[in-house]
Amino acid sequence: MGGTDKSDSPATSSSDDWRWLSRYTEARIALGRCGPGLPTSAHLAFQAAHAEARDAVLKPFDAERFAAEVTAHGWPALAVHSRAADRATYLQRPDAGRLLSPTSEALLSEPRAPADIVLVVADGLSSRAVQVNALPVLDALMPRLAATGRRLSPVIVASQGRVALADHVGELFGASASIILIGERPGLSAADSLGLYLTWMPRRGRVDSERNCISNVRQSGLAPADAARQAAELLERMFRHQAAGVSLARLPQLPAPDGDGAS
C-alpha cells in the first residue's frame, strides 16, 4: 500500500491550543500530552504539587513561637490548643478541633478585660498559610480595628484548630464578634491560602451559614491588605446590623457615609 499509517504513531504534544489561557489561571490546563498520557514534565509537576499540599497539612505549627512573633509586632497574644491532642486526631476528629482543650479553656476563663471582638489565628489545614500570610493581614487589620474604639481581645493563637474554635473563644470573652485567620485546605495550585471567617455573637453551636468568609488570601490571590480592608468593612456591617452570614447577606447594602466631599 505504501506510506505509514499515522494513527499507529504516538501523538506527542508539549502544548495545545489552550496554552494561552494558562496566563489567566493557575488551574492545571494546557499540560500537553504524550499518547494517552501526560508529558513527563507535567506528571512530575503534579507529583510535586501533591507533595507540597501534603506537607502543608502535616507540617507542625508552633503556636508559642507564633504568639511571640505577634507580641513582637506590638499586640498581646496567647497560645492555646484545641482538644485534638495531635495531628492524627485533628484530621480524624474534626469535632475535637472545634473546642479548646481543658487547660486552654481554663486559661481563657481567667479574669481579664472583656472584648467586643475576639481575634484568633489557627493552623487549620495549612500551617504554611499562617506562617506566610497571617502577620501581614494582622499588620493591616489591627490599626483599622483599634481605630473603631472597640475592645479587642489578645490575639489567640491556636494549634490544631478548626473554624468553630473561635466560637468557643468568643463565648468565653462574651464577645459580640469574632474573626479567625486559618489555613485553608491546600489544593494542587495553592498550598498557602489563608481564610478569614467572621461570626456575629460567637457561641458554641454556630453553623457555617452564620459566618462570612474571605478566602484565598496569599501572594497570588487576595492581597493581605485587601483582605484586612474587607474584614474591617464586614465587621462594621455586622455591628451595624447585628447579623452575619446569610442573614447579613440578605440585608440591603447601605451607601457609605458621606465624607469624601462628593455631592
Side-chain angles (χ1 to χ4, degrees):
M1 299 287 293
T4 301
D5 186 352
K6 294 184 179 180
S7 64
D8 294 335
S9 303
T12 303
S13 172
S14 60
S15 63
D16 57 32
D17 292 340
W18 290 4
R19 185 171 60 175
W20 65 275
L21 287 173
S22 63
R23 293 178 295 175
Y24 304 102
T25 179
E26 294 183 2
R28 308 183 75 80
I29 64 172
L31 300 178
R33 64 187 177 90
C34 183
L38 290 172
T40 300
S41 59
H43 177 66
L44 293 177
F46 176 88
Q47 289 183 314
H50 186 265
E52 190 174 14
R54 286 179 57 87
D55 287 347
V57 171
L58 299 176
K59 183 180 179 180
F61 177 61
D62 190 338
E64 294 280 355
R65 180 175 179 178
F66 192 83
E69 292 181 25
V70 173
T71 301
H73 278 239
W75 314 300
L78 295 170
V80 300
H81 203 290
S82 77
R83 293 187 185 178
D86 50 45
R87 200 59 174 171
T89 304
Y90 174 83
L91 295 173
Q92 297 169 15
R93 291 278 309 278
D95 58 307
R98 297 175 184 137
L99 296 171
L100 292 162
S101 69
T103 301
S104 295
E105 183 175 11
L107 172 65
L108 297 188
S109 297
E110 295 176 0
R112 63 182 71 251
D116 299 313
I117 302 171
V118 295
L119 300 107
V120 182
V121 176
D123 48 1
L125 287 167
S126 175
S127 60
R128 176 181 169 187
V130 175
Q131 294 288 356
V132 173
N133 299 302
L135 279 174
V137 172
L138 289 174
D139 281 336
L141 178 62
M142 296 299 283
R144 289 177 176 271
L145 299 185
T148 67
R150 297 190 178 98
R151 299 168 297 179
L152 307 179
S153 76
V155 178
I156 308 301
V157 182
S159 57
Q160 315 295 3
R162 299 273 178 177
V163 170
L165 190 74
D167 298 339
H168 196 177
V169 175
E171 182 177 309
L172 294 175
F173 276 90
S176 297
S178 68
I179 177 169
I180 180 169
L181 285 61
I182 189 167
E184 295 182 323
R185 179 182 291 107
L188 293 175
S189 60
D192 60 350
S193 180
L194 188 76
L196 284 65
Y197 291 82
L198 299 87
T199 307
W200 179 251
M201 296 301 290
R203 302 294 184 267
R204 282 177 285 184
R206 292 293 187 218
V207 296
D208 288 344
S209 61
E210 297 174 293
R211 312 187 198 284
N212 292 90
C213 175
I214 301 169
S215 65
N216 196 36
V217 181
R218 59 191 182 93
Q219 183 177 0
S220 299
L222 181 65
D226 291 334
R229 175 183 53 78
Q230 290 184 22
E233 292 172 354
L234 264 174
L235 282 170
E236 284 303 309
R237 290 198 71 216
M238 288 164 60
F239 274 93
R240 186 186 312 147
H241 297 290
Q242 299 189 6
V246 173
S247 298
L248 184 63
R250 288 173 175 166
L251 294 171
Q253 287 277 6
L254 299 179
D258 291 338
D260 57 0
S263 59

